[in-house]
Structures are given as C-alpha cells and as structure tokens.
Amino acid sequence: MTHDFVRPLTLTLGHLYPDQLNLYGDRGNIMTLQYRCQMRGIQFRAVGLGIGDALAPDEYDMLFIGGGQDKEQAPVAQDLYELKAIGLWAAIEDDMPVLAVCGGYQLLAHYYRPAEGPDMRGLGVFDAWTIHKGPRSPRCIGNIALSWNGSTLVGFENHGGRTYLGTAKPLGKVLKGSGNNAEDRTEGAIYRNAYGTYLHGSLLPKNPHFADHLIYLALKRKYGEEYLLAMAGQTEPSETADHAAQGLHQNGTVALAAEKKTENSLKPSDILTPLDDKLEWEAHAYILERLGLHSAALTALSAYKK
C-alpha cells in the first residue's frame, strides 16, 4: 500500500576513480546496488568522479571507491587529499554510506607505506594505517569469511599491505582468511556509515544482506524513518511525514520529526521488498563450505529460507 504523498525514491552514487581503481570485479558492487534498487522501483544512478573532479556531497546519497595497484594509487592519493577531502569528509560526517575496498580502504586510513617509494598520505577517516612489508612477504590472497552483525560476509581478498587498526572498529572478525593483516583476525574498519574492507567485487553480489544494509542507510538518511514506513504501508501518513518528504535539506537529507523512532527500531527488511536471493545465498554458502565452515553455511541457507 502506498499513499498519495509518497514520491518515487531515488539514490545517486558517486563512484570515485572508476578508471584507476577497478580491480577484481569491484564494479560488481555497484551493479548489485543498481539491480537491487531497480527491482524495488528505486531509481538508481551512478556518477563517475575521476582525477580532477570535485566532490560536491549534496549531489550524492552514497559513495564507492575501489582498489588498484600501487602505481595507480599514488595520483589518486594526491587528488583525494588535495581536491576531494573536504567534500568526502563532509559526506561522511553527515552519515552518508561509503564503501571503500582495498586500495580505497587504505587511502581512507592515515597512510599507506608501499614496498617501494614514499608513503601515500590518506585522509584519516579510519584510525588505521597500512604497511607493505616487501616483495618477499606473502600476499593475503584467497577466499575469506568473517562474522558481521550476527551473520557472515564472504568475499575474495588480494593485498600485500597489512592494515593495523588504532581505535577504529573492525567491520568483522575473520573466520577464515587473512583480513587486515593475517595476525589479529580483524577485517576492515568502520567510521559512522563508512565501511572499509579488503573484500573485493564479490562482496555485495555474494552478500545481499550487506548490500541491502547500505541501501537502507542511504534511504534512511535521505528520507527519514517515518516517510519510509509510510511508503512501505506500515504506518498511516502524517503531516510530519509529508513535510519531511517535501522539506529536503540542501544535502539531500530530511529533517526528522522529534518523535521519530530510535535508530535501532527500523531494519532493512521493514522498508525493502524481499527479493529472490536464492542464487546469491547459495553462492555465499558455497564459499563458506569451501572454507570448511559447514555450520555457518547451513545457518546462512536457513536464514534465507526463513
């Protein structure tokens, strides 16, 4: 059920450095977000932001930055720090969802020290740093699984650098694989709604629950809980919700009502129509099985079947 005041939902994603940072199927993450939005009638648009392009945070609802080789990261690091830093920081502090993979993850931490050459200065979004211990040090490569939010995430990692966390909260705990550094069983980092990870382009295709989490965060930030619940037919429209829907801030977010629900009261499943994710969860479970995590594989499949 929908109401007359409900307008079509729209999301715009800013894709940072699509030509430089595009290893290991990272574009698959954007394709997954686009597909899952379109299947629900959410208008989705991805805009590339290359070297020399300014980042105006009020033009986007989500941001993505992928991974690349060291030689490609150097000019990106300079552009990110000199041109896009202010806009990116403003977006993150305003709780815009950001997904940063591998090289992108490293550049959102304090610095990356490559095997050769000077340090690459990062933005310090994540209280973390990365050190490549040299060509003789084994790479962290292969399938990986980690615990996340009461569930599991699976993916593929391939990185030579070792990332160490300061006060940053990890994305998850490594069940099998290397993760941040192959030492402390941490993987990724979180700051507000920004997520850094070494899991490449199989991340969102094989983890539909995490893809929906990012979509949910973007919608919640832009439209507010009351409007989304009314859109989903779970509440009757109110004057407050109507005003919120019409009164978008300049940065695309809405002023939420004082009586809005608590942050933990709304889940992605409350506002996002379920999709047929049978193949996605079978692929997810297959990786868990290959890693010897048989119990986790059964749990993943049973969770989907519910």
Side-chain angles (χ1 to χ4, degrees), residues 58-70:
D58 57 330
E59 296 181 3
Y60 307 100
D61 306 303
M62 313 172 73
L63 294 173
F64 173 78
I65 177 171
Q69 298 179 356
D70 287 0

PDB file of all heavy atoms in Angstrom, residues 58-70:
ATOM      1  N   ASP A  58      26.423  17.260  -1.598  1.00  0.00           N
ATOM      2  CA  ASP A  58      24.969  17.378  -1.698  1.00  0.00           C
ATOM      3  C   ASP A  58      24.419  16.779  -2.984  1.00  0.00           C
ATOM      4  O   ASP A  58      23.202  16.689  -3.155  1.00  0.00           O
ATOM      5  CB  ASP A  58      24.548  18.846  -1.594  1.00  0.00           C
ATOM      6  CG  ASP A  58      25.194  19.726  -2.651  1.00  0.00           C
ATOM      7  OD1 ASP A  58      26.319  19.424  -3.080  1.00  0.00           O
ATOM      8  OD2 ASP A  58      24.556  20.714  -3.045  1.00  0.00           O
ATOM      9  N   GLU A  59      25.286  16.312  -3.881  1.00  0.00           N
ATOM     10  CA  GLU A  59      24.823  15.715  -5.134  1.00  0.00           C
ATOM     11  C   GLU A  59      24.708  14.197  -5.064  1.00  0.00           C
ATOM     12  O   GLU A  59      24.266  13.564  -6.020  1.00  0.00           O
ATOM     13  CB  GLU A  59      25.774  16.095  -6.272  1.00  0.00           C
ATOM     14  CG  GLU A  59      25.798  17.598  -6.574  1.00  0.00           C
ATOM     15  CD  GLU A  59      26.735  17.939  -7.719  1.00  0.00           C
ATOM     16  OE1 GLU A  59      27.314  16.997  -8.319  1.00  0.00           O
ATOM     17  OE2 GLU A  59      26.894  19.140  -8.009  1.00  0.00           O
ATOM     18  N   TYR A  60      25.097  13.588  -3.924  1.00  0.00           N
ATOM     19  CA  TYR A  60      25.153  12.130  -3.840  1.00  0.00           C
ATOM     20  C   TYR A  60      24.484  11.625  -2.563  1.00  0.00           C
ATOM     21  O   TYR A  60      24.359  12.355  -1.570  1.00  0.00           O
ATOM     22  CB  TYR A  60      26.614  11.647  -3.901  1.00  0.00           C
ATOM     23  CG  TYR A  60      27.338  12.205  -5.098  1.00  0.00           C
ATOM     24  CD1 TYR A  60      28.185  13.302  -4.986  1.00  0.00           C
ATOM     25  CD2 TYR A  60      27.134  11.665  -6.369  1.00  0.00           C
ATOM     26  CE1 TYR A  60      28.818  13.848  -6.081  1.00  0.00           C
ATOM     27  CE2 TYR A  60      27.762  12.214  -7.482  1.00  0.00           C
ATOM     28  CZ  TYR A  60      28.605  13.293  -7.334  1.00  0.00           C
ATOM     29  OH  TYR A  60      29.217  13.836  -8.439  1.00  0.00           O
ATOM     30  N   ASP A  61      24.088  10.364  -2.621  1.00  0.00           N
ATOM     31  CA  ASP A  61      23.491   9.696  -1.469  1.00  0.00           C
ATOM     32  C   ASP A  61      24.360   8.551  -0.967  1.00  0.00           C
ATOM     33  O   ASP A  61      24.186   8.079   0.159  1.00  0.00           O
ATOM     34  CB  ASP A  61      22.111   9.135  -1.836  1.00  0.00           C
ATOM     35  CG  ASP A  61      21.202  10.193  -2.424  1.00  0.00           C
ATOM     36  OD1 ASP A  61      20.986  11.217  -1.747  1.00  0.00           O
ATOM     37  OD2 ASP A  61      20.728  10.006  -3.569  1.00  0.00           O
ATOM     38  N   MET A  62      25.286   8.073  -1.795  1.00  0.00           N
ATOM     39  CA  MET A  62      26.210   7.011  -1.463  1.00  0.00           C
ATOM     40  C   MET A  62      27.515   7.271  -2.205  1.00  0.00           C
ATOM     41  O   MET A  62      27.512   7.945  -3.244  1.00  0.00           O
ATOM     42  CB  MET A  62      25.671   5.629  -1.884  1.00  0.00           C
ATOM     43  CG  MET A  62      24.248   5.337  -1.517  1.00  0.00           C
ATOM     44  SD  MET A  62      23.639   3.777  -2.249  1.00  0.00           S
ATOM     45  CE  MET A  62      24.512   2.577  -1.255  1.00  0.00           C
ATOM     46  N   LEU A  63      28.612   6.713  -1.679  1.00  0.00           N
ATOM     47  CA  LEU A  63      29.901   6.828  -2.353  1.00  0.00           C
ATOM     48  C   LEU A  63      30.583   5.464  -2.371  1.00  0.00           C
ATOM     49  O   LEU A  63      30.443   4.668  -1.437  1.00  0.00           O
ATOM     50  CB  LEU A  63      30.805   7.847  -1.649  1.00  0.00           C
ATOM     51  CG  LEU A  63      30.353   9.311  -1.680  1.00  0.00           C
ATOM     52  CD1 LEU A  63      31.255  10.150  -0.794  1.00  0.00           C
ATOM     53  CD2 LEU A  63      30.339   9.858  -3.103  1.00  0.00           C
ATOM     54  N   PHE A  64      31.339   5.210  -3.450  1.00  0.00           N
ATOM     55  CA  PHE A  64      32.093   3.970  -3.567  1.00  0.00           C
ATOM     56  C   PHE A  64      33.476   4.271  -4.124  1.00  0.00           C
ATOM     57  O   PHE A  64      33.625   5.072  -5.047  1.00  0.00           O
ATOM     58  CB  PHE A  64      31.394   2.971  -4.499  1.00  0.00           C
ATOM     59  CG  PHE A  64      32.205   1.745  -4.773  1.00  0.00           C
ATOM     60  CD1 PHE A  64      32.295   0.731  -3.834  1.00  0.00           C
ATOM     61  CD2 PHE A  64      32.923   1.618  -5.955  1.00  0.00           C
ATOM     62  CE1 PHE A  64      33.070  -0.392  -4.068  1.00  0.00           C
ATOM     63  CE2 PHE A  64      33.707   0.496  -6.201  1.00  0.00           C
ATOM     64  CZ  PHE A  64      33.777  -0.514  -5.252  1.00  0.00           C
ATOM     65  N   ILE A  65      34.492   3.622  -3.547  1.00  0.00           N
ATOM     66  CA  ILE A  65      35.852   3.727  -4.054  1.00  0.00           C
ATOM     67  C   ILE A  65      36.469   2.332  -4.002  1.00  0.00           C
ATOM     68  O   ILE A  65      36.418   1.660  -2.974  1.00  0.00           O
ATOM     69  CB  ILE A  65      36.689   4.758  -3.248  1.00  0.00           C
ATOM     70  CG1 ILE A  65      38.134   4.798  -3.764  1.00  0.00           C
ATOM     71  CG2 ILE A  65      36.626   4.499  -1.759  1.00  0.00           C
ATOM     72  CD1 ILE A  65      38.939   5.948  -3.166  1.00  0.00           C
ATOM     73  N   GLY A  66      37.035   1.884  -5.129  1.00  0.00           N
ATOM     74  CA  GLY A  66      37.543   0.525  -5.244  1.00  0.00           C
ATOM     75  C   GLY A  66      39.042   0.426  -5.033  1.00  0.00           C
ATOM     76  O   GLY A  66      39.672   1.309  -4.440  1.00  0.00           O
ATOM     77  N   GLY A  67      39.614  -0.669  -5.538  1.00  0.00           N
ATOM     78  CA  GLY A  67      41.029  -0.942  -5.328  1.00  0.00           C
ATOM     79  C   GLY A  67      41.824  -0.844  -6.617  1.00  0.00           C
ATOM     80  O   GLY A  67      41.289  -0.942  -7.717  1.00  0.00           O
ATOM     81  N   GLY A  68      43.138  -0.653  -6.476  1.00  0.00           N
ATOM     82  CA  GLY A  68      44.022  -0.562  -7.632  1.00  0.00           C
ATOM     83  C   GLY A  68      45.445  -0.926  -7.248  1.00  0.00           C
ATOM     84  O   GLY A  68      45.752  -1.142  -6.074  1.00  0.00           O
ATOM     85  N   GLN A  69      46.312  -0.972  -8.233  1.00  0.00           N
ATOM     86  CA  GLN A  69      47.720  -1.262  -7.978  1.00  0.00           C
ATOM     87  C   GLN A  69      48.413  -0.036  -7.397  1.00  0.00           C
ATOM     88  O   GLN A  69      47.935   1.096  -7.531  1.00  0.00           O
ATOM     89  CB  GLN A  69      48.398  -1.702  -9.269  1.00  0.00           C
ATOM     90  CG  GLN A  69      47.824  -2.977  -9.862  1.00  0.00           C
ATOM     91  CD  GLN A  69      48.505  -3.381 -11.152  1.00  0.00           C
ATOM     92  OE1 GLN A  69      49.375  -2.677 -11.656  1.00  0.00           O
ATOM     93  NE2 GLN A  69      48.101  -4.515 -11.692  1.00  0.00           N
ATOM     94  N   ASP A  70      49.566  -0.284  -6.762  1.00  0.00           N
ATOM     95  CA  ASP A  70      50.278   0.804  -6.083  1.00  0.00           C
ATOM     96  C   ASP A  70      50.571   1.976  -7.014  1.00  0.00           C
ATOM     97  O   ASP A  70      50.428   3.145  -6.635  1.00  0.00           O
ATOM     98  CB  ASP A  70      51.590   0.290  -5.494  1.00  0.00           C
ATOM     99  CG  ASP A  70      51.360  -0.586  -4.262  1.00  0.00           C
ATOM    100  OD1 ASP A  70      50.188  -0.773  -3.897  1.00  0.00           O
ATOM    101  OD2 ASP A  70      52.350  -1.071  -3.694  1.00  0.00           O
TER     102      ASP A  70
END
